[in-house]
Amino acid sequence: NAGVTQTPKFRILKIGQSMTLQCAQDMNHNYMYWYRQDPGMGLKLIYYSVGAGITDKGEVPNGYNVSRSTTEDFPLRLELAAPSQTSVYFCASNPRGDEKLFFGSGTQLSVL
Amino acid sequence: QKEVEQNSGPLSVPEGAIASLNCTYSDRGSQSFFWYRQYSGKSPELIMFIYSNGDKEDGRFTAQLNKASQYVSLLIRDSQPSDSATYLCAVRPLTGGSYIPTFGRGTSLIVHP
């Protein structure tokens, strides 16, 4: 099993550009999450999903969108990138939501 | 807003000492408590979880939970330089059936030889 796979690992965007961060898991987990981590800070939840077709906002959803058309994939869309979205993004998953999180390796995004 | 508070540190301890990392939380209904370790530039990895009041030991790590005081801690015995990392406390509430954990900002631990 590959676990949770995130792409790309690094990306530089110009202000106003858009992009999609990809996340895929091969563990058949129902719950998937997107977090962002700013330097010296903990993880802040952007969006989460409890199953295919079901998504919900987390603590910091503004400027982002998600979809969950399959159990495996949970892409995060950034529209009109802003410098405030410069961060490290982690995708995570777990089977039932009450268990440990399995994290991807992260995407370091800079918006200049 | 559910809060999870950690001292950001850095906490500096000599090799072989006990490192004590602390976490307080605001949601009295919280059910599960997790400690993740995060090396610089890497993703978090789970090292301990605890659900019941008291102590839980796993090798050199001990998690301590006191729900009445809304306090959870992580002790690392015989600290090694390889333990140098940021330790994130995560708390899972039980509000409306939500399982979504809330993370603290993390405590940076430095173990010096």
Side-chain angles (χ1 to χ4, degrees), chain A residues 31 33 35 37 40-45 48 50 59 90 94 96-106, chain B residues 1 8 32 34 36 38 41-46 51 86 88 92 97-106:
Chain A
Y31 283 66
Y33 313 79
Y35 288 94
Q37 186 175 38
M41 302 298 288
L43 299 166
K44 293 192 181 296
L45 183 66
Y48 69 99
V50 302
E59 184 181 358
F90 288 103
N94 58 8
R96 296 196 312 263
D98 58 344
E99 299 177 347
K100 77 170 189 178
L101 292 168
F102 293 77
F103 284 91
S105 58
Chain B
Q1 179 73 19
S8 61
S32 309
F34 304 85
Y36 287 82
Q38 187 177 25
K42 302 295 186 182
S43 55
E45 57 178 334
L46 183 73
Y51 299 143
T86 296
L88 299 167
R92 183 178 72 81
S98 170
Y99 291 111
I100 309 304
T102 298
F103 282 83
R105 63 187 297 171

Side-chain angles (χ1 to χ4, degrees), chain A residues 63-82:
Chain A
Y64 307 95
N65 275 301
V66 294
S67 60
R68 183 97 182 270
S69 57
T70 66
T71 299
E72 294 78 19
D73 299 300
F74 191 40
L76 178 71
R77 177 81 177 165
L78 279 72
E79 305 282 1
L80 298 174

Side-chain angles (χ1 to χ4, degrees), chain A residues 4-43:
Chain A
V4 180
T5 303
Q6 285 184 243
T7 56
K9 293 190 182 302
F10 303 94
R11 183 71 184 269
I12 298 174
L13 283 181
K14 294 182 179 179
I15 295 172
Q17 287 185 321
S18 301
M19 76 163 295
T20 299
L21 280 64
Q22 300 292 344
C23 176
Q25 53 91 9
D26 61 359
M27 298 173 283
N28 202 34
H29 286 173
N30 288 320
Y31 283 66
M32 296 188 74
Y33 313 79
W34 275 105
Y35 288 94
R36 61 175 286 173
Q37 186 175 38
D38 298 326
M41 302 298 288
L43 299 166

Side-chain angles (χ1 to χ4, degrees), chain B residues 14-16 39 60 78-85 109-113:
Chain B
E15 184 174 357
Y39 292 114
R60 295 187 296 112
D78 188 25
S79 295
Q80 301 296 308
S82 59
D83 294 325
S84 299
L109 173 66
I110 299 172
V111 181
H112 53 88

